[in-house]
Amino acid sequence: MKTRKLIFAIMSISLSMSFAICETTSNSFGGIFVNSNLKGTGSGQKSAASSKPTSRSPAKQNPAAKDAANWDIAELDTARKVDYLSEIEKDVILEMNKARSNPKKYAALYLVPFAKAFRSDGTYVKKGGIVMMTREGVAAVNECIKEMSAKKPVGILKPAKGLSLAAQGHATSQAEAGQIGHIGTDGSSPFTRIEKYADCRTAGENISYGAKSGREIVVQLLVDDGVADRGHRKNILHPAYTRTGVGYAEGHKAYGTECVINYAGGYQEKN
């Protein structure tokens, strides 16, 4: 029996909180980077509590596949044909596979332009005039670019229904309750949620709040602003993980959206 020891590091800044959860055995959790410490410069921002939580988003054109000239989408888009993921959940897997298959290219295409968007006070402006405040400013982005530019490719991830069901259940219940963290509203841990559907040798979980596209979610987690051990980045690029599952919920009472990503190696789904 494995001994599992969870170490919680809690940081608070302004109105946001960030949790990092790490394991001392083969399982590791990157924790949560809450990308919702924002202030709006426009008047069109809607209340996050006004929409009903769901682990599905409306059918949309796949924006993540538009840059097919830069990537072998047929190889990397491993989840597009499954029927248990929404389009944005599939986009998250595609973006992670781009980053895993060629970290250097991913950094050059998406992180370098992101770094240029930062202002001297450590903020950047999103579409719609929303000013995003960060803990580390552009330094975290530049550090990520440096690491990914030197990193070797790792194998791409394939979708797993059990991991997705575990992720979707956690995302939906947390969105409805307005909670954050790896502990579920029913007291479940990432391990117990995954073990309900599958056995695996190693596993991890990332959670993002406030992001609204597959690329935004993955870039947010790769940069890992404010998380000292860059646990989210480690999970996305971890060579031991071969399978993944995603749950995306809209209507989070505090942050608007939530995306839970589960990872596993040595994965075998239960009957």
Side-chain angles (χ1 to χ4, degrees), residues 89-200:
E89 290 165 349
K90 295 173 184 178
D91 290 345
V92 169
I93 295 177
L94 174 57
E95 290 298 318
M96 291 192 295
N97 281 339
K98 289 178 183 178
R100 288 171 67 93
S101 68
N102 195 327
K104 183 176 181 179
K105 181 190 284 188
Y106 198 89
L109 287 176
Y110 311 126
L111 296 177
V112 170
F114 181 41
K116 293 178 180 178
F118 274 74
R119 307 188 300 191
S120 59
D121 62 355
T123 64
Y124 65 95
V125 182
K126 290 179 63 174
K127 291 181 180 179
I130 299 175
V131 178
M132 302 298 293
M133 299 183 293
T134 65
R135 295 173 176 82
E136 300 176 65
V138 73
V141 185
N142 288 333
E143 183 261 331
C144 184
I145 292 169
K146 181 178 180 180
E147 179 180 334
M148 292 185 67
S149 296
K151 199 165 188 68
K152 294 180 180 180
V154 294
I156 61 175
L157 300 166
K158 293 184 179 180
K161 187 173 184 178
L163 294 177
S164 296
L165 291 173
Q168 290 161 3
H170 187 51
T172 302
S173 61
Q174 272 206 334
E176 185 173 16
Q179 295 181 3
I180 62 173
H182 291 281
I183 303 302
T185 56
D186 59 355
S188 63
S189 72
F191 290 113
T192 56
R193 290 191 294 272
I194 292 172
E195 289 172 350
K196 180 179 178 181
Y197 300 102
D199 295 315
C200 52

Side-chain angles (χ1 to χ4, degrees), residues 61-67 73 80 91 94-95 98 110 215:
Q61 184 181 6
N62 174 20
K66 287 183 178 179
D67 55 348
I73 299 298
R80 194 60 54 183
D91 290 345
L94 174 57
E95 290 298 318
K98 289 178 183 178
Y110 311 126
R215 184 168 299 159

Side-chain angles (χ1 to χ4, degrees), residues 55-75:
S55 63
R56 289 289 177 270
S57 55
K60 301 174 183 177
Q61 184 181 6
N62 174 20
K66 287 183 178 179
D67 55 348
N70 296 309
W71 304 96
D72 185 350
I73 299 298
E75 178 186 5

Side-chain angles (χ1 to χ4, degrees), residues 213-226:
S213 72
R215 184 168 299 159
E216 184 182 6
I217 289 164
V218 172
V219 167
Q220 177 194 87
L221 294 169
L222 284 169
V223 173
D224 229 358
D225 176 72

